[in-house]
Amino acid sequence: MSTKLMRSGPARLFNSLMLRFAGTRFFPLYGVIEHRGRRSGRIFHTVVVVRPVADGFVVPMPWGERTDWYRNVRAPGGCAIRWKGRYHPVDRPETLDTHAVMSDFNSFERAIMSRLGITQCLRLRHQT
């Protein structure tokens, strides 16, 4: 499917709605990563599942390290996460095996991650 088709119609409407509601107190499972393009320098917003942890956030990565948002976060070493209506500057991205962070998720979320074959998560720490 061409990129042009993916950016139109229902997918475009869904993405704009998700960007509006993700990261708010109404959808605490979802957050928005605000990251800078490593080549363009433009600011991008990407909806992701986030789990708050003591020192920052954990983000499951269903597509692993192949996504542009992941590479953009890794390039400068940081980004911001909008979660529950607030922006949290985070840095020190660290890719972890899912088993290392499973205790941060409830049993239902662990089952979904396992069923979807998610094997990597990204840990982002609050900026100090």
Side-chain angles (χ1 to χ4, degrees), residues 36-118:
R36 185 171 298 278
R38 60 195 180 285
R39 286 178 270 191
S40 69
R42 290 180 44 210
I43 299 292
F44 293 96
H45 297 90
T46 303
V47 176
V48 294
V49 170
V50 290
R51 170 61 63 191
V53 293
D55 62 349
F57 295 92
V58 173
V59 179
M61 299 186 338
W63 293 276
E65 298 175 355
R66 298 184 310 244
T67 61
D68 282 329
W69 72 261
Y70 169 80
R71 291 183 290 201
N72 288 344
V73 168
R74 293 288 301 194
C79 60
I81 292 181
R82 184 177 78 203
W83 186 71
K84 287 195 170 183
R86 295 185 53 222
Y87 276 90
H88 302 269
V90 290
D91 59 9
R92 295 170 282 158
E94 178 184 8
T95 305
L96 301 170
D97 183 84
T98 311
H99 297 293
V101 294
M102 277 299 191
S103 63
D104 294 323
F105 295 89
N106 67 40
S107 60
F108 176 75
E109 294 163 340
R110 289 192 300 266
I112 294 293
M113 288 169 55
S114 177
R115 178 90 169 141
L116 293 175
I118 299 172

